[in-house]
Amino acid sequence: MRGSIRRFASLAVALVLLGHGVRIQAADDQTTPTTKEQRLEWFRQAKFGMFIHWGPYARLAGAWNGRQLPVGTNCEWIMEKLRIPRDEYREAARQFNPVKFDADAWADLAAAAGVKYVVLTAKHHDGFAMYHSRVSRYNIVDHTPFGRDPLRELADACRKRELRFCIYYSHREDWDEPFAYGNTWDFDFRPEDNLPLFEEKYLNTKARPQLEELLTGYGPFGLVWFDRGMYTPEQGRAFAQLVCKYQPYCLVNGRVGNYDQELLGDYQNMNDNGMPIGGIEEYWETPQTLNETWGYSQFDHQWKRPEEVIRRLVEIVSRGGNYLLNIGPDGEGVVPEPSIQILRAVGRWVSANGESIYGTTASPFHELPWGYCTAKGKTLYLHVFDWPADRRLKLRGLRTTARSAALLAKPADRLPLRQEDGFLEITVPESPLDPVNTVVAVNLEAAPRVDPPVVSQAANGTIVLDYIRAITGGHTVKRFNRKGEFHISKWTSPEDTIVWQVAVATPGSFDVTITYAADASWSDEPYVVQVDGSRLEAKVQPTGLPYEYKTISLGTIPIGRPGPCQVLVRPAKKLDHDLMYFKGIQLTPIAPDSTTP
Ligand code: GLC
């Protein structure tokens, strides 16, 4: 027993530096004068942003001509959902007159919430420009009695408060345009049937020129948030390059590219309202709503509580992401009162605990029973959502010496701590300072080194080696696919590895299955699965893209003894493409009676 513990400890130490969830790589390359790391610096610091969905749909507020969108439907989609004829929607847009719009009040709210960037819909799928466009008269200045340019007003108000101003631009979809994607009730055109026409009569006449006028007329943007993808990688890349041409420091989000092709953009987005299930080793952001719609609804009162928003913020940041939280102002330009109240409450927590959010990196730990962890340099921030009744806050697997600990909001009062063989115990006050999340800051001697997660064998003997507890090495990264799911990829050589630490209780022979997606052109590339001393060699079989993960049987492998064991997967030779989009491996014990004759 002791021997196996020691063996385990040395394996753990060998792998400890690899950690998990802390190694971040920037997303795919574009030809730009700035490096991705330079562009991403502010985004990495910011962590928390405000999304604003606002357009003529806000005036309809989820109802049109006596028909109502059910709660849970995205109200900015009302034109499409109710198949409102283009001319009638245009007529409705003509009545859009948000006289109560006050850019300073919105920017004040953003600052009070503690966000560092603001993303406004410059043009959503309805095709209506929320700024004074010279490309199309279908815009808030020329088409409505309002006559003001809210995008310019908000950009100025944000910059005055040192908030990065950013725009959302729906680049593929436009229900006002006969040759764009989306409006199938007025027009009978599908871009996929005639991409040159889509290029010529929509991309070249509206989407690209509008983007150019935005990039050249409104000062520097933090990022451009594209949505709903493109058809070809070239089209997606051309949009990213256009941003870069005019604003080399401006970021481009991942939705600029196709749904079913390789990721583009500087960072990746989760699916709408998606919460991550593990660390992602690239820059990422999740867009989320405060109720159940992005655009304003008069019917939706399903507001998230401030506690839930704080919890989501911390969970997202502890997994290395940014939280882009949406408000949907109404048709008069007023932010719904519940949104204001929630954001102010969240902002109070953020302003007291901002050090544990801004500029932090993902948690070096796997799961923590009482909450989440964020890290910065030599400091760990322990976000305690479940306060320990016995006043003992426990942290396992920390290999760096802790020097001191204190509540973040009370730095002068040092908390007693005890550390032994990777186990740290901090004695905390009887009750938390904050009813939702009290942060304990731990000062370390050096940047944290943490034991890798260990996978234990299930009661039936099965060993499930998934994405979450995998330790990636070399260029291999845990990332989203374009549909917001997860996989591991970017591995192209034998040094690019995926490793798991396993605690084997019942040795024996195991059937090995692997789950992945692979393009036909990746067929037959060799790879290796090593389980301690034994190895299996296999060749990639095509599964069909986009992201059609399949489970394939690789044969059997023995595990000779109980105790710690390491499983490793890697390409067998150097490739000029991904080995595969990897999901996981499973070892299933072969029942002894099926092997004995
Ligand atoms: C979706 C919706 C869109 C919304 C966006 C926000 O793609 O189509 O209405 O703007 O998500 O993430």
Side-chain angles (χ1 to χ4, degrees):
M1 189 60 192
R2 275 202 83 79
S4 64
I5 288 174
R6 223 174 276 130
R7 249 191 292 138
F8 219 113
S10 64
L11 257 183
V13 169
L15 277 158
V16 95
L17 282 172
L18 295 171
H20 70 292
V22 289
R23 223 170 34 104
I24 297 289
Q25 297 196 1
D28 307 275
D29 229 328
Q30 294 155 18
T31 324
T32 62
T34 49
T35 69
K36 221 168 289 196
E37 289 302 325
Q38 284 173 320
R39 290 201 297 279
L40 280 158
E41 180 51 28
W42 74 265
F43 186 77
R44 200 177 69 71
Q45 296 291 332
K47 292 290 162 197
F48 192 20
M50 178 185 275
F51 215 168
I52 305 178
H53 275 69
W54 197 43
Y57 43 79
R59 203 185 72 83
L60 301 183
W64 180 74
N65 262 1
R67 288 159 70 204
Q68 187 178 318
L69 289 180
V71 172
T73 312
N74 291 339
C75 288
E76 72 285 2
W77 276 74
I78 190 163
M79 179 177 177
E80 199 264 3
K81 297 284 173 208
L82 300 182
R83 297 285 188 265
I84 304 179
R86 175 195 194 231
D87 291 344
E88 289 179 44
Y89 190 84
R90 279 188 157 239
E91 220 19 67
R94 213 176 279 289
Q95 323 289 316
F96 184 46
N97 191 14
V99 286
K100 296 192 183 147
F101 168 67
D102 177 351
D104 285 307
W106 289 17
D108 279 341
L109 178 63
V115 304
K116 297 290 184 191
Y117 58 113
V118 172
V119 186
L120 175 70
T121 45
K123 186 204 84 163
H124 205 268
H125 312 329
D126 63 358
F128 184 84
M130 289 296 286
Y131 67 98
H132 193 191
S133 175
R134 316 293 148 142
V135 171
S136 156
R137 291 189 56 79
Y138 191 42
N139 71 69
I140 188 158
V141 178
D142 295 320
H143 191 79
T144 78
F146 187 53
R148 279 159 57 193
D149 184 332
L151 196 136
R152 185 174 308 286
E153 290 179 29
L154 191 62
D156 293 344
C158 285
R159 291 185 189 124
K160 252 187 252 155
R161 290 159 183 82
E162 292 186 1
L163 299 166
R164 297 255 170 179
F165 183 74
C166 312
I167 57 162
Y168 167 108
Y169 190 89
S170 177
H171 59 325
R172 181 180 69 136
E173 188 136 3
D174 194 317
W175 305 324
D176 193 62
E177 288 290 320
F179 296 101
Y181 172 80
N183 186 337
T184 51
W185 56 101
D186 287 304
F187 314 114
D188 153 42
F189 174 78
R190 307 261 179 303
E192 51 276 39
D193 299 335
N194 194 338
L195 285 181
L197 211 57
F198 167 69
E199 283 267 350
E200 188 195 323
K201 300 220 162 177
Y202 169 63
L203 292 186
N204 288 342
T205 54
K206 185 167 179 187
R208 287 186 188 125
Q210 281 202 328
L211 191 61
E212 278 180 338
E213 64 183 357
L214 284 160
L215 289 162
T216 51
Y218 289 86
F221 298 140
L223 56 89
V224 178
W225 217 96
F226 292 102
D227 200 7
R228 308 263 296 156
M230 253 304 143
Y231 290 100
T232 68
E234 292 69 34
Q235 285 168 335
R237 227 172 277 126
F239 272 97
Q241 279 162 357
L242 197 64
V243 173
C244 192
K245 174 175 165 199
Y246 295 107
Q247 298 201 13
Y249 279 91
C250 182
L251 294 173
V252 170
N253 75 327
R255 291 195 191 174
V256 69
N258 293 45
Y259 280 92
D260 52 1
Q261 288 165 20
E262 194 41 282
L263 302 168
L264 287 176
D266 290 305
Y267 71 89
Q268 298 308 322
N269 289 106
M270 276 205 81
N271 47 333
D272 295 345
N273 293 304
M275 286 300 284
I277 53 161
I280 289 125
E281 295 164 331
E282 283 180 325
Y283 290 97
W284 63 276
E285 171 189 69
T286 177
Q288 301 205 359
T289 51
L290 271 175
N291 51 358
E292 298 196 351
T293 171
W294 305 88
Y296 178 72
S297 157
Q298 58 188 305
F299 310 110
D300 183 345
H301 308 295
Q302 315 272 29
W303 301 102
K304 294 190 179 66
R305 292 162 9 118
E307 299 87 283
E308 187 180 346
V309 175
I310 293 168
R311 196 180 186 107
R312 282 174 181 245
L313 170 66
V314 171
E315 182 171 350
I316 291 161
V317 173
S318 84
R319 301 204 197 278
N322 281 25
Y323 188 24
L324 184 61
L325 186 57
N326 182 71
I327 57 167
D330 70 14
E332 293 197 297
V334 176
V335 179
E337 191 55 31
S339 304
I340 296 179
Q341 295 310 328
I342 302 165
L343 290 177
R344 291 217 174 115
V346 172
R348 280 191 290 275
W349 183 88
V350 175
S351 92
N353 297 283
E355 185 191 318
S356 67
I357 298 291
Y358 305 126
T360 59
T361 51
S363 172
F365 298 92
H366 186 49
E367 297 296 324
L368 296 166
W370 37 258
Y372 304 95
C373 172
T374 55
K376 198 188 291 176
K378 297 180 187 173
T379 309
L380 290 176
Y381 300 99
L382 312 180
H383 297 257
V384 190
F385 284 84
D386 297 318
W387 199 251
D390 65 356
R391 300 181 49 203
R392 307 271 180 265
L393 183 64
K394 295 169 184 146
L395 197 58
R396 287 172 211 283
L398 176 64
R399 295 284 156 192
T400 318
T401 306
R403 283 197 172 138
S404 64
L407 301 184
L408 180 59
K410 267 196 179 176
D413 299 352
R414 289 209 170 184
L415 302 174
L417 55 83
R418 183 169 75 81
Q419 189 175 17
E420 205 174 275
D421 193 22
F423 175 72
L424 176 68
E425 190 181 87
I426 303 167
T427 308
V428 293
E430 208 160 291
S431 44
L433 265 190
D434 184 287
V436 181
N437 170 15
T438 300
V439 181
V440 177
V442 185
N443 254 302
L444 308 175
E445 209 171 70
R449 294 191 322 131
V450 169
D451 289 342
V454 174
V455 180
S456 36
Q457 205 170 358
N460 67 3
T462 305
I463 301 170
V464 179
L465 303 171
D466 59 14
Y467 153 92
I468 301 173
R469 281 160 307 172
I471 303 156
T472 54
H475 296 101
T476 315
V477 286
K478 298 180 180 186
R479 57 192 329 220
F480 296 125
N481 71 24
R482 181 64 182 81
K483 291 180 172 164
E485 291 176 58
F486 310 93
H487 62 216
I488 303 181
S489 65
K490 299 246 131 187
W491 46 349
T492 56
S493 82
E495 293 79 54
D496 302 335
T497 53
I498 307 177
V499 169
W500 295 263
Q501 300 284 64
V502 185
V504 176
T506 318
S509 276
F510 293 82
D511 269 333
V512 182
T513 55
I514 183 168
T515 306
Y516 62 81
D519 188 67
S521 64
W522 305 347
S523 294
D524 286 336
E525 299 294 10
Y527 63 98
V528 178
V529 179
Q530 261 167 253
V531 181
D532 264 353
S534 326
R535 57 191 263 151
L536 274 178
E537 284 198 29
K539 288 187 169 165
V540 172
Q541 295 176 25
T543 60
L545 285 180
Y547 313 124
E548 277 174 46
Y549 302 98
K550 292 209 174 116
T551 299
I552 290 160
S553 176
L554 295 184
T556 64
I557 210 158
I559 299 184
R561 56 189 164 90
C565 153
Q566 183 178 297
V567 178
L568 177 147
V569 190
R570 62 171 171 82
K573 62 167 209 204
K574 194 145 182 43
L575 309 169
D576 57 10
H577 53 77
D578 256 322
L579 177 69
M580 59 175 76
Y581 294 153
F582 175 90
K583 275 276 196 202
I585 278 205
Q586 183 164 320
L587 310 187
T588 311
I590 300 172
D593 56 350
S594 70
T595 50
T596 36

